[in-house]
Structure formats: structure tokens, C-alpha cells
Coordinates of all heavy atoms in Angstrom, one line a residue:
A1 N 0.8 -1.2 0.0 CA 0.0 0.0 0.0 C 0.9 1.2 0.0 O 1.4 1.6 1.0 CB -0.9 0.0 1.2
D2 N 1.0 1.9 -1.2 CA 1.8 3.1 -1.3 C 1.3 3.9 -2.5 O 0.6 3.3 -3.4 CB 3.3 2.9 -1.2 CG 3.9 2.3 -2.5 OD1 3.2 2.3 -3.5 OD2 5.1 2.0 -2.5
P3 N 1.7 5.2 -2.6 CA 1.2 6.0 -3.7 C 1.6 5.5 -5.1 O 0.9 5.7 -6.1 CB 1.9 7.4 -3.5 CG 2.1 7.4 -2.0 CD 2.5 6.0 -1.6
F4 N 2.8 4.8 -5.2 CA 3.2 4.2 -6.5 C 2.1 3.2 -7.0 O 1.7 3.3 -8.2 CB 4.5 3.6 -6.4 CG 5.0 2.9 -7.6 CD1 5.7 3.6 -8.6 CD2 4.8 1.5 -7.8 CE1 6.2 2.9 -9.7 CE2 5.2 0.9 -9.0 CZ 5.9 1.6 -9.9
Y5 N 1.7 2.3 -6.2 CA 0.8 1.3 -6.7 C -0.6 1.8 -6.8 O -1.4 1.3 -7.6 CB 0.9 0.0 -5.8 CG 2.2 -0.7 -5.9 CD1 3.1 -0.7 -4.9 CD2 2.5 -1.3 -7.1 CE1 4.3 -1.4 -5.1 CE2 3.7 -2.0 -7.3 CZ 4.6 -2.0 -6.3 OH 5.8 -2.7 -6.5
Y6 N -1.0 2.8 -6.0 CA -2.3 3.4 -6.1 C -2.4 4.1 -7.5 O -3.4 4.0 -8.2 CB -2.6 4.4 -5.1 CG -2.8 3.9 -3.7 CD1 -2.1 4.4 -2.6 CD2 -3.6 2.8 -3.5 CE1 -2.2 3.9 -1.3 CE2 -3.8 2.2 -2.2 CZ -3.1 2.8 -1.1 OH -3.2 2.2 0.1
T7 N -1.3 4.7 -7.9 CA -1.2 5.3 -9.2 C -1.3 4.3 -10.3 O -1.9 4.5 -11.4 CB 0.0 6.2 -9.4 OG1 0.0 7.2 -8.3 CG2 0.0 7.0 -10.7
M8 N -0.6 3.2 -10.1 CA -0.6 2.1 -11.1 C -2.1 1.6 -11.3 O -2.5 1.3 -12.4 CB 0.3 1.0 -10.7 CG 0.4 -0.1 -11.8 SD 1.5 -1.5 -11.3 CE 3.1 -0.7 -11.4
E9 N -2.8 1.4 -10.1 CA -4.1 0.9 -10.2 C -5.0 1.8 -11.1 O -5.9 1.4 -11.8 CB -4.7 0.9 -8.8 CG -6.2 0.4 -8.8 CD -6.9 0.5 -7.4 OE1 -6.1 0.6 -6.4 OE2 -8.1 0.5 -7.4
K10 N -4.8 3.2 -11.0 CA -5.6 4.1 -11.8 C -5.4 3.8 -13.3 O -6.3 3.8 -14.1 CB -5.2 5.5 -11.5 CG -5.7 6.0 -10.2 CD -5.2 7.5 -10.0 CE -5.7 8.0 -8.6 NZ -7.1 8.1 -8.5
G11 N -4.1 3.5 -13.7 CA -3.9 3.1 -15.1 C -4.5 1.8 -15.5 O -5.0 1.7 -16.6
V12 N -4.5 0.8 -14.6 CA -5.1 -0.5 -14.8 C -6.6 -0.3 -15.0 O -7.2 -0.8 -16.0 CB -4.8 -1.4 -13.6 CG1 -5.7 -2.7 -13.7 CG2 -3.4 -1.8 -13.6
R13 N -7.2 0.4 -14.1 CA -8.7 0.6 -14.2 C -9.1 1.4 -15.4 O -10.1 1.0 -16.1 CB -9.2 1.3 -12.9 CG -9.2 0.4 -11.7 CD -10.0 1.0 -10.5 NE -9.9 0.3 -9.3 CZ -10.7 -0.8 -9.1 NH1 -11.6 -1.2 -10.0 NH2 -10.7 -1.4 -7.9
A14 N -8.4 2.4 -15.8 CA -8.8 3.2 -16.9 C -8.7 2.4 -18.2 O -9.6 2.5 -19.0 CB -7.8 4.5 -17.0
K15 N -7.6 1.7 -18.4 CA -7.5 0.9 -19.6 C -8.5 -0.2 -19.7 O -9.0 -0.6 -20.7 CB -6.0 0.4 -19.7 CG -5.8 -0.4 -21.0 CD -6.1 0.4 -22.3 CE -5.1 1.5 -22.6 NZ -5.3 2.0 -24.0
A16 N -8.7 -0.9 -18.5 CA -9.7 -2.0 -18.5 C -11.1 -1.5 -18.9 O -11.8 -2.1 -19.6 CB -9.7 -2.6 -17.1
E17 N -11.5 -0.3 -18.4 CA -12.8 0.3 -18.7 C -12.8 0.6 -20.2 O -13.8 0.4 -20.9 CB -13.0 1.6 -17.9 CG -14.4 2.2 -18.2 CD -14.6 3.4 -17.3 OE1 -13.7 3.8 -16.5 OE2 -15.7 4.0 -17.4
E18 N -11.7 1.2 -20.7 CA -11.7 1.5 -22.1 C -11.8 0.3 -23.0 O -12.5 0.3 -24.1 CB -10.3 2.2 -22.4 CG -10.1 2.5 -23.9 CD -8.7 3.0 -24.2 OE1 -8.1 3.6 -23.3 OE2 -8.2 2.7 -25.3
L19 N -11.2 -0.8 -22.6 CA -11.3 -2.0 -23.4 C -12.4 -3.0 -23.1 O -12.6 -4.0 -23.7 CB -9.9 -2.8 -23.3 CG -8.7 -2.0 -23.7 CD1 -7.4 -2.9 -23.5 CD2 -8.8 -1.7 -25.2
G20 N -13.2 -2.6 -22.1 CA -14.4 -3.4 -21.8 C -14.0 -4.7 -21.1 O -14.7 -5.7 -21.4
V21 N -13.0 -4.8 -20.3 CA -12.7 -6.0 -19.6 C -12.9 -5.8 -18.1 O -12.9 -4.7 -17.6 CB -11.2 -6.4 -19.9 CG1 -11.0 -6.6 -21.4 CG2 -10.2 -5.4 -19.3
E22 N -13.1 -6.9 -17.4 CA -13.3 -6.9 -16.0 C -12.0 -6.9 -15.3 O -11.0 -7.6 -15.6 CB -14.1 -8.2 -15.6 CG -14.2 -8.4 -14.1 CD -14.5 -9.8 -13.7 OE1 -14.9 -10.6 -14.6 OE2 -14.4 -10.2 -12.6
V23 N -11.8 -6.1 -14.2 CA -10.6 -6.0 -13.4 C -11.0 -6.1 -12.0 O -11.9 -5.4 -11.5 CB -9.7 -4.8 -13.7 CG1 -10.5 -3.5 -13.4 CG2 -8.4 -4.9 -13.0
V24 N -10.3 -7.0 -11.2 CA -10.4 -7.1 -9.8 C -9.1 -6.6 -9.2 O -8.0 -7.1 -9.6 CB -10.7 -8.5 -9.4 CG1 -10.7 -8.7 -7.9 CG2 -12.1 -8.9 -9.9
V25 N -9.1 -5.8 -8.2 CA -7.9 -5.3 -7.5 C -7.9 -6.0 -6.2 O -8.8 -5.9 -5.4 CB -8.0 -3.8 -7.3 CG1 -6.7 -3.3 -6.5 CG2 -8.0 -3.1 -8.7
A26 N -6.8 -6.8 -6.0 CA -6.6 -7.5 -4.7 C -6.4 -6.5 -3.6 O -6.0 -5.4 -3.8 CB -5.5 -8.5 -4.8
E27 N -6.6 -7.0 -2.4 CA -6.3 -6.2 -1.2 C -4.8 -5.8 -1.2 O -3.9 -6.6 -1.6 CB -6.5 -7.1 0.1 CG -6.2 -6.4 1.4 CD -6.3 -7.3 2.6 OE1 -6.9 -8.4 2.4 OE2 -5.8 -6.9 3.7
Y28 N -4.6 -4.6 -0.8 CA -3.2 -4.1 -0.8 C -2.5 -4.6 0.4 O -2.9 -4.4 1.5 CB -3.2 -2.6 -0.7 CG -3.3 -1.9 -2.1 CD1 -4.5 -1.9 -2.8 CD2 -2.2 -1.2 -2.6 CE1 -4.6 -1.2 -4.0 CE2 -2.4 -0.5 -3.8 CZ -3.6 -0.6 -4.5 OH -3.7 0.1 -5.7
P29 N -1.3 -5.3 0.2 CA -0.6 -5.7 1.4 C -0.1 -4.5 2.2 O 0.2 -3.5 1.7 CB 0.7 -6.4 0.8 CG 0.2 -6.8 -0.6 CD -0.7 -5.8 -1.0
K30 N -0.2 -4.7 3.5 CA 0.2 -3.6 4.4 C 1.7 -3.5 4.7 O 2.2 -2.5 5.3 CB -0.6 -3.7 5.7 CG -2.1 -3.5 5.5 CD -2.8 -3.7 6.8 CE -4.3 -3.4 6.6 NZ -5.0 -4.3 5.6
S31 N 2.4 -4.5 4.3 CA 3.9 -4.5 4.4 C 4.4 -5.2 3.1 O 3.7 -6.0 2.4 CB 4.4 -5.2 5.6 OG 3.9 -6.6 5.6
W32 N 5.7 -5.0 2.9 CA 6.3 -5.5 1.7 C 6.9 -6.9 2.0 O 7.5 -7.1 3.0 CB 7.5 -4.6 1.2 CG 8.1 -5.1 0.0 CD1 9.2 -6.0 -0.1 CD2 7.8 -4.8 -1.4 NE1 9.5 -6.3 -1.4 CE2 8.7 -5.6 -2.2 CE3 6.9 -4.0 -2.0 CZ2 8.7 -5.5 -3.6 CZ3 6.9 -3.9 -3.4 CH2 7.8 -4.7 -4.2
G33 N 6.6 -7.9 1.1 CA 7.2 -9.2 1.2 C 6.3 -10.3 0.9 O 5.1 -10.1 0.9
P34 N 6.8 -11.5 0.5 CA 6.0 -12.6 0.1 C 5.1 -13.1 1.2 O 4.0 -13.6 1.0 CB 7.0 -13.7 -0.3 CG 8.3 -13.3 0.3 CD 8.3 -11.8 0.4
E35 N 5.5 -12.9 2.5 CA 4.7 -13.4 3.6 C 3.4 -12.6 3.7 O 2.4 -13.1 4.2 CB 5.5 -13.3 4.9 CG 5.8 -11.9 5.4 CD 7.0 -11.3 4.7 OE1 7.7 -12.0 3.9 OE2 7.3 -10.1 4.9
A36 N 3.4 -11.4 3.2 CA 2.2 -10.6 3.2 C 1.4 -10.7 1.9 O 0.2 -10.7 1.8 CB 2.5 -9.1 3.4
Q37 N 2.2 -10.8 0.8 CA 1.5 -10.8 -0.6 C 1.0 -12.1 -1.0 O -0.2 -12.2 -1.5 CB 2.6 -10.3 -1.6 CG 2.0 -10.1 -3.0 CD 3.0 -9.7 -4.0 OE1 4.1 -10.4 -4.1 NE2 2.7 -8.7 -4.8
V38 N 1.7 -13.2 -0.7 CA 1.2 -14.5 -1.2 C -0.1 -15.0 -0.7 O -1.0 -15.4 -1.5 CB 2.3 -15.6 -1.0 CG1 1.8 -17.0 -1.3 CG2 3.6 -15.3 -1.8
P39 N -0.4 -14.8 0.6 CA -1.7 -15.2 1.1 C -2.9 -14.5 0.4 O -3.9 -15.0 0.1 CB -1.7 -15.0 2.6 CG -0.2 -15.0 2.9 CD 0.5 -14.4 1.7
I40 N -2.7 -13.2 0.2 CA -3.7 -12.4 -0.5 C -3.9 -12.8 -1.9 O -5.0 -13.0 -2.4 CB -3.3 -10.9 -0.5 CG1 -3.3 -10.4 1.0 CG2 -4.3 -10.0 -1.3 CD1 -2.7 -9.0 1.1
L41 N -2.7 -13.0 -2.6 CA -2.8 -13.5 -4.0 C -3.5 -14.8 -4.1 O -4.4 -15.0 -4.9 CB -1.4 -13.7 -4.5 CG -1.2 -14.4 -5.9 CD1 -1.8 -13.6 -7.0 CD2 0.3 -14.7 -6.1
E42 N -3.2 -15.8 -3.3 CA -3.8 -17.1 -3.3 C -5.3 -17.1 -3.0 O -6.1 -17.8 -3.6 CB -3.0 -18.1 -2.5 CG -1.6 -18.4 -3.0 CD -0.8 -19.3 -2.1 OE1 -1.1 -19.5 -0.9 OE2 0.2 -19.9 -2.7
A43 N -5.6 -16.3 -1.9 CA -7.0 -16.2 -1.5 C -7.9 -15.6 -2.6 O -9.0 -16.0 -2.9 CB -7.1 -15.4 -0.2
T44 N -7.4 -14.5 -3.2 CA -8.1 -13.9 -4.3 C -8.3 -14.7 -5.5 O -9.4 -14.8 -6.1 CB -7.5 -12.5 -4.7 OG1 -7.2 -11.8 -3.5 CG2 -8.4 -11.7 -5.6
A45 N -7.2 -15.4 -5.9 CA -7.2 -16.3 -7.1 C -8.1 -17.5 -6.9 O -8.6 -18.1 -7.8 CB -5.8 -16.7 -7.5
A46 N -8.3 -17.9 -5.6 CA -9.1 -19.1 -5.3 C -10.6 -18.8 -5.5 O -11.4 -19.7 -5.6 CB -8.9 -19.5 -3.8
K47 N -11.0 -17.5 -5.4 CA -12.4 -17.1 -5.6 C -12.8 -17.0 -7.0 O -14.0 -17.0 -7.3 CB -12.6 -15.8 -4.9 CG -12.4 -15.8 -3.4 CD -12.7 -14.4 -2.8 CE -12.5 -14.5 -1.2 NZ -11.3 -13.8 -0.8

């Protein structure tokens, strides 16, 4: 969770809307590292 990735999300959402595709944004990890990111990735992809 930082301004760099929030700005990247804006680009993702804008282009997805333009192209008519569905985009899901996963929960932002509150700290950097695989121990924070991987559980969110796997839980979101499982749904």
C-alpha cells in the first residue's frame, strides 16, 4: 500500500474500462514481502 501502486491501479482501471474488460484489484498488502503478498494472492485467485 503506497502511492506508486495506487497510481498504477488508476492506469489499470482506466485501460480496463476503455477495453471493456473486468478487473479485480486485490487487497493491498500492508507490508512488503511474500509473507504478506502470497496469502492475499492465493485467496483472491481461489475465488
